Amino acid sequence: MKVLVLYYSKGGNTKKLAREIVEGVNSVEAVQGVLKSTDEVTKEDFIEAGGIIAGSPVYFGNMAAQLKAVFDNFVSTRRKMEGKVGAAFTTSGDPSGGKETTMMSIIQAFLIYGMVITGDPLSATGHYGVACVGTPDDEIKENAKKLGARVAQLALKLSD
Ligand SMILES: Cc1cc2nc3c(=O)[nH]c(=O)nc-3n(C[C@H](O)[C@H](O)[C@H](O)COP(=O)(O)O)c2cc1C
């Protein structure tokens, strides 16, 4: 079982979070994390994954155009994505700069792909996903690993 960790990052903050999340995915036995940027990802990565955790910097309270373009361009995979797990992560510049609205924009795309959404577990924040201002600190990195592990566990269960 593969879980795709997909990200766009210009300055590196969101990429740092993605790296922690894929570690969490790989902590679950029988699940392989696949870390891809929006430049690298292919339609096969979508189809082969049991779950996708997608992240973007907050751009005007929304996901960056580079991630939106992947969802737009991969629409032909939609019928093959139903029932897979989807989750979101983000980094922002300002504390109230739009982290939740950005994660919701990613979650909205997953819903329309027919996917099953999860937030981060209650042992992390129990909210919309993993998010931070700027570069992730140690606590956020732990939460990122927990989100990765949760999606991996759910993807395994849903594939039964
Ligand atoms: C075009 C653009 C729009 C942005 N819009 C917002 C915003 O609406 N709210 C916010 O808090 N930060 C905003 N930021 C700041 C980024 O979200 C923040 O610096 C982020 O951590 C960058 O991630 P990266 O290092 O992975 O590229 C914006 C940055 C850019 C370049």
Side-chain angles (χ1 to χ4, degrees), residues 41-53:
V41 70
T42 65
K43 288 181 183 174
E44 286 66 39
D45 291 322
F46 263 45
I47 292 164
E48 287 172 8
I52 304 179
I53 312 169

Side-chain angles (χ1 to χ4, degrees), residues 23 72 96 107:
E23 258 193 54
D72 291 352
S96 57
I107 285 168

Side-chain angles (χ1 to χ4, degrees), residues 9 11 13 24 27-28 32 47 71 78 84 102 121 137 143 149 152 155-156 160:
S9 182
N13 292 335
S27 72
V28 176
Q32 181 196 342
I47 292 164
F71 289 123
R78 189 168 159 243
K84 300 183 183 198
T102 297
D137 63 16
N143 290 346
L156 273 181
D160 281 351

Side-chain angles (χ1 to χ4, degrees), residues 10-159:
K10 192 175 178 196
N13 292 335
T14 314
K15 185 174 184 178
K16 283 182 194 155
L17 209 43
R19 284 194 180 132
E20 302 297 325
I21 292 169
V22 83
E23 258 193 54
V25 170
N26 286 327
S27 72
V28 176
E29 205 178 344
V31 181
Q32 181 196 342
V34 178
L35 182 64
K36 292 269 177 101
S37 71
T38 49
D39 282 343
E40 298 163 336
V41 70
T42 65
K43 288 181 183 174
E44 286 66 39
D45 291 322
F46 263 45
I47 292 164
E48 287 172 8
I52 304 179
I53 312 169
S56 164
V58 173
Y59 276 10
F60 298 95
N62 215 313
M63 75 174 104
Q66 287 83 351
L67 181 58
K68 177 66 162 45
V70 171
F71 289 123
D72 291 352
N73 294 333
F74 289 12
V75 68
S76 63
T77 68
R78 189 168 159 243
R79 302 270 164 209
K80 295 184 176 153
M81 300 307 290
E82 188 159 22
K84 300 183 183 198
V85 183
F89 62 100
T90 190
T91 72
S92 70
D94 293 303
S96 57
K99 296 189 290 297
E100 281 92 346
T101 52
T102 297
M103 288 189 283
M104 287 306 292
S105 72
I106 295 167
I107 285 168
Q108 189 173 343
F110 283 142
L111 284 171
I112 294 170
Y113 268 84
M115 294 168 67
V116 178
I117 306 308
T118 184
D120 58 325
L122 290 177
S123 63
T125 78
H127 285 90
Y128 298 82
V130 173
C132 61
V133 179
T135 193
D137 63 16
D138 287 348
E139 186 183 354
I140 298 291
K141 286 179 181 175
E142 278 312 302
N143 290 346
K145 290 189 184 82
K146 288 174 184 173
L147 177 67
R150 170 175 239 190
V151 171
Q153 285 155 356
L154 283 174
L156 273 181
K157 280 188 186 167
L158 288 181
S159 71

